[in-house]
Amino acid sequence: VLAVYALAGPHVLDQVGAASRKVSLGTPWQLVKTGLQTAFGPGAYSVWTQVGSLALLVLLAWLLLRAAPDHSAPGVAVAIVVAWLFAATYALPWYDGLAFALLAMAAWPALEGLLVARVVILSLGYLPAREALRPEDMLWLRTVVRQQVVPWSLLALTAALAWWAARSAARA
């Protein structure tokens, strides 16, 4: 893999670097971004969303690792990937495939339900509201569903994940 990346050159990772500073419309971070832009002007959100995302990632990973039914390699990988998915500022529904692949190797049924809910919410926000070929009378799919319903729903789901993980860790 390293040889292929070396042959392709340094520009292979340009999109990854650009996306790491973006906030997608369907994440709870869009709510934070909008609030910070309203209070401090455009561009004021970048550092705060990145720091907040990293802090949330650490918190969720810690809670999930404490709640893990076992600390095998797949179990640890699932905990870290799920924490990343829920904390990321840029998310699309198909990113969750990595977590589902890892869950196939780690028995964690309660976490599966939360991930299914997450991918359903993101899919409802992104797939029907694709920009390409969307008729103008369907703009509400973007402005209402993707920009309002999906971020608030994912915020509630992230809170539910943290509560569930903390509660599971306390029982363990």
Side-chain angles (χ1 to χ4, degrees), residues 65-80:
L65 287 169
R66 288 184 55 219
D70 68 52
H71 287 93
S72 64
V76 171
V78 166
I80 293 169

Side-chain angles (χ1 to χ4, degrees), residues 63-110:
L63 289 171
L64 287 167
L65 287 169
R66 288 184 55 219
D70 68 52
H71 287 93
S72 64
V76 171
V78 166
I80 293 169
V81 167
V82 168
W84 166 70
L85 287 170
F86 276 80
T89 60
Y90 192 83
L92 295 169
W94 44 91
Y95 292 4
D96 291 24
L98 177 58
F100 285 110
L102 291 168
L103 273 172
M105 295 183 284
W108 211 345

Side-chain angles (χ1 to χ4, degrees), residues 16-89:
V16 173
S20 72
R21 292 180 296 281
K22 291 182 180 178
V23 176
S24 54
L25 293 176
T27 66
W29 295 105
Q30 180 64 29
L31 304 171
V32 174
K33 174 185 171 182
T34 303
L36 288 170
Q37 284 181 322
T38 302
F40 303 109
Y45 65 89
S46 185
V47 170
W48 294 109
T49 55
Q50 288 177 343
V51 169
S53 174
L54 184 59
L56 181 60
L57 170 70
V58 169
L59 173 67
L60 290 175
W62 177 71
L63 289 171
L64 287 167
L65 287 169
R66 288 184 55 219
D70 68 52
H71 287 93
S72 64
V76 171
V78 166
I80 293 169
V81 167
V82 168
W84 166 70
L85 287 170
F86 276 80
T89 60

